[in-house]
Amino acid sequence: MTGIKALARHLDLSIGTVSRALNDKADVSPATRKRVLAAARELGYRPNHSGRALRQGRTSTIGLVLETGSPASLAGDAFFMQLIDAMQETFSAAGTDLVLLPCRSADDPIEFLRRQVGRRMVDALVITATRRQDPRIAMLVEEGMPFLALGRSGTPGDWPWIDLDFEGVADRAVAELAALGHRRIALVAPRKEVNLAHVWMDGYRAAIRRHGLEEHEGLMLRLSVSENGGRQAAEAVLGMDPRPTALLLVSEMMAPGVYARLGEAGLEPGRDLSVIGFRRNPQLGFLRPELAGFALDLRALGTAVGEAALGLAVSPADPVRLVWPMDYVPAASVRPPPAE
Amino acid sequence: MTGIKALARHLDLSIGTVSRALNDKADVSPATRKRVLAAARELGYRPNHSGRALRQGRTSTIGLVLETGSPASLAGDAFFMQLIDAMQETFSAAGTDLVLLPCRSADDPIEFLRRQVGRRMVDALVITATRRQDPRIAMLVEEGMPFLALGRSGTPGDWPWIDLDFEGVADRAVAELAALGHRRIALVAPRKEVNLAHVWMDGYRAAIRRHGLEEHEGLMLRLSVSENGGRQAAEAVLGMDPRPTALLLVSEMMAPGVYARLGEAGLEPGRDLSVIGFRRNPQLGFLRPELAGFALDLRALGTAVGEAALGLAVSPADPVRLVWPMDYVPAASVRPPPAE
DNA sequence: AGCATTTCTGGAAACGTTTACGACGGAGCC
DNA sequence: GGCTCCGTCGTAAACGTTTCCAGAAATGCT
């Protein structure tokens, strides 16, 4: 393997000069720089990551922690894939690499993170699926590890986060439904104790109250975020008496299940039960009637997340705290409630 | 940050001795070993990954390359999540870490891999979604990078791979259907030019021929592996004249789309069109009638993949070449064809 | 007791890179 | 011509760890 040493010997230069030439440092003549770059390309030289990281004290790598085992994390839709895509594009321009660190849900997430921190293999971490009380955050703050949370948490402190506007979405969705005359609106929240579940339910509760609609804990369903969860949501709504006239889903990926179960009962989404999915998702373009939801530019979000993660190392003060807004897109799955 | 140096000073020992104690080497007395381990735990010492990697010439990390942007890779179901989970369990026992390397489908995969190889950040790579002609394989062989391919390829050579038994599944599925009296069996293959598409179609073709069934290129559909793809498959089948009596899916995740489209046409899976999904998937337990498919123990597969990947570094000779068998599990979605 | 052997420990080199510093040459200036 | 200064390059230390080697202490053997 050609290291910088072999390269220097081949060029009859010192390794110091070669290094400076490769890294665009000042103290090297244009002629030699050109010569070095040519030789490096020819010999296929790639700097050894460990050596560089050891010397520089940083790895130019950022880790995104993902939960494996939980279907809500990466499965169900290409949400994260697209996010990762955009993040990587941003990183790439900054000479940084992205690695995904899968954390087994069976393992202790704290221990997993502590291990990553100790290894110093990444300069910063991006964590997802934040909990209402998330010990990971306190740990990372304590360890002095730069990190960005995708999602808020009740853990106090000035750590950086970016989150979707769950309460804004819930509020707007309820408002749209109320304006059409809906009085009984059921809500689906994740079964898992992630923070967004509570933000989502709080936003819903506040909006229900503000519009003076029917408030009832039984209208809030906790289900797994999956097609099957959607099916169970529809099942539950069908069993309620009086039956809600609208259903608000925490994830649009549940909608196919809802539609299927309604169809089996001879009901039609929109006409018999208004349905609002969370995110407007082109993958679900086949749904009839079209599913109402909220537009989200995943590329823009991914870029923002990427930039925030990059900024972590450079400016630890003034952490990002960003609620990402989403715009309502009406569709035929939302109509006035059926006449009683 | 407490390095081994600080630890040694704190213990009034040489760093050599401390290192040996930590790494379970022979030349250290039980008493000091105990003392060192206690101090390491107390001071929260974690070996620096770069330092160790630099010295040892290996990183104890294996990279799994994933394609982002393509919905078939990680989305659709939790297939990879579960695989990763089991792989990680295997790695963990061997003191190895797993990182996921997302490769943007927009980028050049060769360049991406070359970069990973050059960085020497991982000891071995696991690549997925192998193509029929996959230049990545030739490149990795040439670079001398240990790797394992999840999926076969037409690229010649003795590189290690593990793949599902696509032709076996296609063969058995056709046999089951033929035994029930089906004569016109439609097949769904991925639209993308992955190797498995061809293995799958070849297996199907051979079985069709062997059983003397209706052979016709129009019976083979190339569609995206998604719920919507399943919908399109059903759509296509409905439009065929004469209509096939059975449908063989390359992924069970397409089944909900198939079921939905059939339902809209007033048809019932099993009764009007037999459907076989690829893998038996508990996530799809809600489908009625139950979907026939092939049992696959993802944990066992993940363990096998993990072990093969671990063995890559130790025994480069005699590469793994493994076709993973799957057993047919009948269900109500497969019944004799309707009387003409 | 004397020697050989074992057990434990410290010293130091090495992995590949970056970077502070010093050295050397030539050019410019008085 | 001697001085400074700038441009260019080589030298060497340092990052944190592992591992080889030698040395010291302790033990076993005759």
Side-chain angles (χ1 to χ4, degrees):
Chain A
M1 198 46 48
T2 54
I4 201 175
K5 212 175 291 185
L7 192 57
R9 194 150 11 90
H10 177 260
L11 283 163
D12 201 37
L13 283 172
S14 76
I15 49 176
T17 305
V18 173
S19 174
R20 280 193 302 268
L22 291 171
N23 295 22
D24 265 349
K25 298 285 177 176
D27 283 356
V28 53
S29 80
T32 47
R33 161 160 304 144
K34 202 169 165 186
R35 210 158 61 89
V36 169
L37 290 178
R41 178 180 307 271
E42 186 199 356
L43 299 197
Y45 167 75
R46 306 262 166 174
N48 179 294
H49 182 253
S50 302
R52 170 180 291 203
L54 182 56
R55 171 63 222 229
Q56 300 197 130
R58 61 192 164 81
T59 61
S60 300
T61 305
I62 290 180
L64 172 61
V65 181
L66 298 172
E67 240 179 311
T68 63
S70 86
S73 55
L74 261 181
D77 68 337
F79 182 91
F80 265 92
M81 285 294 104
Q82 291 181 254
L83 205 66
I84 289 169
D85 210 63
M87 284 177 66
Q88 203 162 16
E89 192 173 11
T90 307
F91 285 174
S92 174
T96 299
D97 275 308
L98 172 67
V99 299
L100 276 38
L101 306 170
C103 174
R104 303 182 61 222
S105 51
D107 289 345
D108 179 13
I110 292 287
E111 198 42 50
F112 179 84
L113 280 190
R114 206 181 285 282
R115 182 175 164 73
Q116 302 303 333
V117 170
R119 286 163 60 88
R120 308 264 118 173
M121 221 184 67
V122 295
D123 295 336
L125 288 173
V126 180
I127 65 174
T128 60
T130 50
R131 310 306 161 99
R132 193 163 210 184
Q133 296 299 333
D134 204 320
R136 298 180 299 173
I137 293 172
M139 188 279 254
L140 290 171
V141 169
E142 188 194 0
E143 293 273 3
M145 181 69 170
F147 75 98
L148 170 69
L150 250 49
R152 283 159 281 183
S153 164
T155 308
D158 269 358
W159 39 277
W161 53 261
I162 294 182
D163 201 359
L164 298 181
D165 187 13
F166 285 98
E167 61 269 80
V169 166
D171 184 279
R172 177 70 185 278
V174 168
E176 290 287 339
L177 292 168
L180 287 175
H182 290 271
R183 307 282 309 161
R184 272 189 310 281
I185 304 174
L187 181 89
V188 177
R191 197 205 308 274
K192 286 185 75 170
E193 280 303 320
V194 286
N195 189 69
L196 73 88
H198 295 96
V199 178
W200 176 243
M201 292 190 294
D202 290 348
Y204 163 82
R205 266 197 219 95
I208 290 290
R209 217 162 284 177
R210 187 150 48 76
H211 289 91
L213 305 183
E214 190 169 317
E215 189 178 353
H216 174 216
E217 287 296 314
L219 287 173
M220 297 198 295
L221 306 165
R222 303 293 296 269
L223 294 167
S224 84
V225 179
S226 65
E227 178 154 355
N228 197 24
R231 165 170 290 270
Q232 293 169 2
E235 183 82 34
V237 165
L238 291 175
M240 292 181 190
D241 189 22
R243 189 194 289 163
T245 60
L247 180 61
L248 196 47
L249 300 172
V250 72
S251 166
E252 72 285 358
M253 295 315 285
M254 310 177 77
V258 174
Y259 277 41
R261 186 63 189 87
L262 288 181
E264 289 169 15
L267 300 182
E268 189 186 307
R271 189 192 62 188
D272 302 306
L273 179 76
S274 286
V275 182
I276 299 188
F278 183 75
R279 180 171 71 95
R280 211 41 204 176
N281 190 336
Q283 270 187 55
L284 299 180
F286 61 86
L287 287 178
R288 290 293 176 273
E290 221 177 317
L291 183 67
F294 292 76
L296 173 60
D297 184 347
L298 278 173
R299 176 148 297 277
L301 177 60
T303 304
V305 169
E307 281 170 358
L310 283 173
L312 240 42
V314 39
S315 71
D318 192 33
V320 188
R321 265 165 290 172
L322 184 57
V323 175
W324 195 267
M326 295 168 70
D327 289 326
Y328 181 64
V329 180
S333 72
V334 172
R335 284 159 59 182
E340 304 265 341
Chain B
M1 196 49 46
T2 53
I4 201 175
K5 212 175 291 184
L7 192 58
R9 193 149 15 87
H10 177 262
L11 284 163
D12 201 38
L13 284 172
S14 77
I15 49 177
T17 304
V18 173
S19 174
R20 279 193 302 269
L22 291 171
N23 294 22
D24 265 350
K25 297 286 179 177
D27 285 353
V28 54
S29 79
T32 46
R33 160 159 305 145
K34 201 169 167 187
R35 210 159 62 88
V36 169
L37 290 178
R41 179 180 305 273
E42 186 199 357
L43 298 199
Y45 167 76
R46 306 263 165 173
N48 179 294
H49 181 251
S50 302
R52 170 179 291 202
L54 182 56
R55 171 65 223 228
Q56 300 197 133
R58 60 192 163 84
T59 61
S60 301
T61 305
I62 290 179
L64 172 61
V65 181
L66 299 171
E67 239 180 310
T68 62
S70 87
S73 55
L74 261 182
D77 68 336
F79 182 91
F80 265 93
M81 286 293 105
Q82 292 180 253
L83 205 66
I84 289 169
D85 210 63
M87 284 176 67
Q88 202 162 15
E89 192 174 10
T90 307
F91 286 174
S92 174
T96 299
D97 275 308
L98 172 67
V99 299
L100 275 38
L101 305 170
C103 174
R104 303 182 61 222
S105 52
D107 289 345
D108 179 13
I110 292 288
E111 199 44 50
F112 179 84
L113 281 189
R114 207 181 284 282
R115 183 176 163 73
Q116 302 303 334
V117 170
R119 286 163 59 87
R120 307 265 118 173
M121 221 184 66
V122 295
D123 295 335
L125 288 173
V126 180
I127 64 175
T128 60
T130 49
R131 310 307 162 98
R132 194 162 210 187
Q133 296 299 333
D134 206 319
R136 298 179 299 172
I137 293 172
M139 189 277 255
L140 290 171
V141 168
E142 187 194 1
E143 293 274 1
M145 181 69 170
F147 75 99
L148 171 69
L150 250 49
R152 283 159 282 183
S153 165
T155 308
D158 269 359
W159 39 276
W161 53 261
I162 294 182
D163 201 358
L164 298 181
D165 187 13
F166 285 98
E167 61 269 80
V169 165
D171 184 279
R172 176 72 183 277
V174 168
E176 291 287 340
L177 292 168
L180 288 175
H182 291 270
R183 307 283 307 163
R184 272 189 310 281
I185 304 175
L187 180 90
V188 178
R191 196 205 307 277
K192 287 184 74 171
E193 279 304 319
V194 287
N195 189 68
L196 73 89
H198 294 95
V199 178
W200 178 243
M201 292 190 295
D202 289 347
Y204 163 83
R205 265 197 219 95
I208 290 289
R209 217 162 285 177
R210 187 151 46 78
H211 290 90
L213 305 183
E214 192 168 315
E215 189 178 353
H216 174 217
E217 288 295 314
L219 287 173
M220 296 199 296
L221 306 165
R222 303 295 295 269
L223 294 166
S224 84
V225 178
S226 64
E227 178 153 355
N228 196 26
R231 165 170 290 272
Q232 293 170 4
E235 184 82 33
V237 166
L238 290 176
M240 292 181 190
D241 188 23
R243 189 194 291 164
T245 60
L247 179 61
L248 196 45
L249 300 171
V250 72
S251 166
E252 73 284 358
M253 295 314 286
M254 310 177 78
V258 173
Y259 276 42
R261 186 64 190 85
L262 288 181
E264 288 169 15
L267 299 181
E268 188 187 309
R271 190 193 61 188
D272 302 305
L273 180 76
S274 286
V275 182
I276 299 188
F278 183 75
R279 180 170 72 94
R280 205 55 195 168
N281 190 338
Q283 269 186 55
L284 299 180
F286 61 86
L287 287 178
R288 290 294 174 276
E290 221 177 318
L291 183 67
F294 291 77
L296 173 59
D297 184 347
L298 278 173
R299 176 149 297 279
L301 176 60
T303 304
V305 170
E307 280 169 359
L310 283 173
L312 239 42
V314 41
S315 71
D318 192 33
V320 189
R321 263 166 292 173
L322 184 57
V323 174
W324 194 267
M326 295 169 70
D327 287 327
Y328 181 63
V329 180
S333 72
V334 171
R335 285 159 57 185
E340 304 265 340

